[in-house]
């Protein structure tokens, strides 16, 4: 659910928008076969023309057309193989979701759909081809979610480790005011002595977390270098925070006390007194639930809308939103929580969802509305201004880890799909020798 549409030319990630009307129209011939489909010379030249235009728009020197033929053809082959895989899996983007996506793209560019269409035409881009390419991009996105994204898991431990190693870069410009308490252990300490020190540190940590004055605890109990200063380490830039503490500090709130941290010198406790610099993290959050009905081969778009109208009538008559979400919502992740999406930050939802959410008063249920995911109703519980620094840091770390894993796994999956498929090249001398690859070679 929490996603966003890209800017005007996101659809050009794979570069499959039709070329301008002045593209030469040579006598067509087959230049490649990808499993069940052929790719023609006309399709290839249109794509090459589009790639050249993209490079020119970025003020980059475009290679000669002949140099682009082979890599562009390979890109076309991979698209066809993936779209065939999506079809085998029953992944389909209907016209309603496609229309919603087109409206989102236009809205993010500050245009109505009609004005957006006019801009594309003025740029020499056929609107119907553009629209179908958006459908293909959405299909590939759903395919990647099914084949790759759904199998990627980011653990809390990975986030902690990432924050520790990357904190200086993620929290650039931020400084922390810290206090520190150490229960030391000798280098030759035995297991019993170490365990006694650990229990003492846990007891001190419990006192500090329960509201005891950290300065007093450090003066009385710390064996660290700054004990006489009440454990005060002063202000430190993110990159200057000891690595041992960094993964905890970057994710803590002001006044919060860390868990007991083990090192060779003993057991440490850190308190974050204050944080300054960096981004303004005060955001307006909305606590919202929703019910999603997704049209499919069995449920039409109109049937999905009518089901939500019926559910909303039941809500008007006193039914519990959470119970209906558990029983009816197609968003199975949130359905298990009664449709609860938690506290939502600005920009986390697709534009249409956020628009309806912002228009709905607390305690009220929206009318049915559609996005690219299907038909929704939502209920707003409350709104608040929230310092999201801790959540922002962990969310950013999670996104970066997920992206890293996704790129690795997607590359492996695409390579496997390519190796297991029958692909025959007939490009000829202009773009290389004809050849056959894949399982059927």
């Amino acid at each position: 659910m929490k996603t966003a549409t890209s800017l005007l030319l996101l659809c050009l990630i794979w570069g499959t928008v039709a070329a301008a009307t002045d593209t030469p129209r040579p006598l067509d011939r087959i230049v490649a076969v990808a499993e069940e489909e052929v790719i023609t010379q006309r399709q290839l030249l249109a794509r090459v023309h589009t790639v050249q235009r993209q490079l020119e728009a970025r003020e980059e020197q475009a290679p000669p057309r002949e140099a682009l033929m082979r890599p562009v053809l390979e890109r076309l082959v991979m698209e066809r193989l993936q779209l065939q895989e999506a079809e085998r899996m029953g992944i389909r983007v209907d016209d309603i979701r496609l229309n919603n996506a087109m409206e989102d793209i236009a809205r993010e560019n500050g245009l109505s759909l009609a004005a957006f269409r006019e801009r594309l035409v003025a740029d020499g881009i056929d609107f119907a081809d553009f629209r179908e390419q958006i459908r293909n991009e959405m299909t590939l996105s759903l395919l990647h979610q099914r084949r790759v994204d759904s199998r990627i898991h980011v653990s809390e431990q990975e986030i902690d480790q990432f924050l520790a190693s990357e904190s200086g870069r993620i929290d650039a410009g931020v400084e922390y005011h810290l206090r520190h308490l150490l229960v030391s252990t000798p280098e030759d300490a035995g297991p019993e002595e170490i365990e006694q020190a650990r229990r003492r540190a846990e007891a001190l940590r419990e006192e500090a977390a329960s509201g005891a004055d950290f300065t007093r605890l450090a003066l009385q109990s710390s064996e660290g270098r700054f004990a006489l200063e009440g454990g005060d380490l002063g202000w430190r830039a993110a990159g200057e925070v000891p690595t041992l503490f960094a993964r905890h500090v970057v994710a803590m709130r002001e006044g919060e006390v860390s868990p007991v941290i083990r090192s060779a010198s003993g057991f440490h406790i850190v308190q974050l007194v204050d944080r300054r610099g960096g981004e303004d993290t005060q955001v307006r959050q909305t606590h919202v639930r929703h019910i999603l009905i997704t049209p499919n081969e069995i449920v039409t778009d109109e049937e999905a809308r009518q089901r939500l109208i019926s559910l909303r009538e039941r809500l008007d008559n006193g039914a519990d939103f959470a119970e209906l979400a558990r029983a009816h919502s197609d968003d199975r992740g949130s359905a298990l929580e009664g449709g609860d999406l938690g506290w939502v930050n600005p920009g986390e939802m697709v534009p249409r969802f956020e628009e309806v959410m912002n228009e709905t008063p607390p305690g009220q249920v929206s009318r049915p509305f559609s996005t690219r995911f299907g038909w929704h109703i939502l209920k707003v519980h409350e709104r608040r201004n929230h310092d999201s620094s801790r959540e922002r840091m962990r969310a950013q770390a999670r996104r970066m880890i997920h992206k890293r894993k996704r790129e690795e796994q997607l590359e492996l999956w695409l390579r496997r799909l390519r190796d297991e498929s029958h692909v025959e090249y007939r490009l000829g001398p202009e773009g290389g020798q004809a050849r056959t690859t894949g399982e059927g070679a």
Side-chain angles (χ1 to χ4, degrees):
M1 269 302 307
K2 295 186 178 182
T3 185
T5 308
S6 67
L7 298 178
L8 174 60
L9 295 181
L10 168 67
C11 61
L12 295 178
I13 291 172
W14 292 86
T16 50
V17 177
T21 55
D22 61 350
T23 302
R25 298 176 64 84
L27 182 65
D28 221 3
R29 65 184 180 86
I30 296 173
V31 294
V33 178
E35 285 286 354
E36 304 164 6
E37 292 188 52
V38 299
I39 298 171
T40 69
Q41 182 173 355
R42 184 172 299 161
Q43 292 168 332
L44 174 59
L45 291 176
R47 178 68 67 85
V48 169
H49 181 78
T50 298
V51 171
Q52 288 177 316
R53 290 181 62 209
Q54 289 178 263
L55 293 172
E56 291 167 1
R58 296 199 296 263
E59 298 182 352
E60 297 179 13
Q61 183 64 42
R65 185 179 72 171
E66 291 73 19
L68 290 172
M69 298 284 273
R70 174 62 64 184
V72 170
L73 181 58
E74 183 65 25
R75 179 66 59 82
L76 279 169
V77 165
M78 289 307 303
E79 286 176 6
R80 300 300 173 84
L81 293 177
Q82 290 179 85
L83 291 172
Q84 290 171 32
E85 177 72 5
E87 185 175 359
R88 284 192 290 270
M89 296 178 66
I91 297 173
R92 180 178 176 274
V93 175
D94 59 33
D95 288 341
I96 298 298
R97 277 189 282 175
L98 178 58
N99 291 339
N100 289 331
M102 294 296 293
E103 290 176 357
D104 285 347
I105 295 173
R107 187 180 298 113
E108 289 196 354
N109 283 275
L111 300 170
S112 67
L113 187 56
F116 182 66
R117 179 172 184 165
E118 291 175 2
R119 176 184 289 187
L120 291 176
V121 172
D123 289 341
I125 298 172
D126 183 271
F127 183 76
D129 288 342
F130 183 96
R131 187 173 181 275
E132 284 308 301
Q133 180 53 29
I134 293 297
R135 191 198 302 272
N136 287 343
E137 290 298 330
M138 293 173 68
T139 301
L140 292 182
S141 178
L142 292 171
L143 174 65
H144 296 165
Q145 288 175 25
R146 187 88 62 87
R147 284 297 199 190
V148 179
D149 292 16
S150 62
R151 301 177 183 180
I152 296 175
H153 173 69
V154 179
S155 69
E156 294 302 310
Q157 182 179 4
E158 286 178 297
I159 293 174
D160 290 341
Q161 292 171 346
F162 184 88
L163 289 173
S165 63
E166 303 284 342
S167 59
R169 183 162 65 90
I170 293 178
D171 229 3
V174 177
E175 292 183 313
Y176 301 98
H177 184 189
L178 303 174
R179 289 196 179 98
H180 168 252
L181 189 156
L182 169 67
V183 176
S184 65
T185 54
E187 288 185 9
D188 58 350
E192 184 176 345
E193 194 172 4
I194 291 174
E195 179 59 22
Q196 289 176 351
R198 185 193 65 77
R199 286 200 297 266
R200 183 173 164 226
E202 290 286 359
L204 289 167
R205 192 265 171 196
E206 184 64 30
E207 280 191 69
S210 300
D213 187 295
F214 196 99
T215 300
R216 178 182 59 79
L217 291 176
L219 282 168
Q220 293 176 349
S221 305
S222 179
E223 296 165 304
R225 290 192 302 116
F226 296 89
L228 294 179
E229 288 78 31
D232 195 343
L233 301 181
W235 286 97
R236 301 203 176 193
E240 298 172 346
V241 175
T243 303
L244 182 66
F245 310 145
R247 70 179 185 181
H248 300 283
V249 169
V250 295
M252 287 164 59
R253 296 183 191 278
E254 288 80 353
E256 189 173 354
V257 177
S258 74
V260 172
I261 305 166
R262 178 75 164 98
S263 79
S265 60
F267 296 89
H268 307 258
I269 306 165
V270 177
Q271 182 186 50
L272 175 60
V273 181
D274 200 2
R275 173 192 277 112
R276 68 186 180 191
E279 300 177 11
D280 180 5
T281 56
Q282 284 288 330
V283 296
R284 185 70 165 168
Q285 292 184 320
T286 303
H287 184 193
V288 63
R289 294 179 187 267
H290 86 133
I291 297 173
L292 168 70
I293 304 296
T294 303
N296 52 41
E297 296 176 357
I298 300 174
V299 179
T300 67
D301 189 72
E302 179 59 24
E303 288 172 341
R305 188 177 74 88
Q306 290 296 330
R307 282 175 61 181
L308 284 176
I309 290 174
S310 175
L311 290 175
R312 192 181 189 283
E313 290 174 352
R314 292 172 61 180
L315 291 168
D316 290 341
N317 292 325
D320 182 71
F321 195 104
E323 290 181 3
L324 293 183
R326 291 188 187 97
H328 298 281
S329 181
D330 289 331
D331 181 6
R332 300 316 303 169
S334 68
L336 296 174
E337 305 296 329
D340 195 350
L341 297 174
W343 288 99
V344 176
N345 293 315
E348 288 188 345
M349 298 298 186
V350 292
R352 180 57 179 159
F353 191 101
E354 183 162 340
E355 179 184 331
V356 174
M357 180 181 71
N358 290 340
E359 293 173 350
T360 304
Q364 299 298 309
V365 177
S366 73
R367 296 288 180 184
F369 65 97
S370 64
T371 70
R372 74 187 69 172
F373 300 101
W375 283 86
H376 312 251
I377 53 175
L378 61 79
K379 180 177 182 179
V380 172
H381 287 279
E382 58 180 315
R383 292 189 172 92
R384 70 181 183 186
N385 290 323
H386 178 63
D387 179 358
S388 63
S389 55
R390 177 176 181 174
E391 291 82 357
R392 177 182 62 83
M393 293 295 300
R394 297 191 71 81
Q396 185 176 355
R398 185 182 297 276
R399 284 193 299 270
M400 294 176 74
I401 297 169
H402 187 278
K403 181 179 180 182
R404 182 184 296 169
K405 286 187 170 185
R406 184 183 191 275
E407 289 174 351
E408 294 171 354
Q409 293 302 313
L410 182 58
E411 181 65 29
L412 289 173
W413 179 75
L414 289 173
R415 188 183 307 163
R416 189 161 52 247
L417 176 67
R418 178 65 177 78
D419 290 344
E420 294 174 354
S421 301
H422 174 77
V423 177
E424 182 180 346
Y425 290 99
R426 303 179 185 176
L427 190 56
E430 188 176 39
Q433 298 299 313
R435 60 191 178 95
T436 301
T437 64
E439 196 175 51

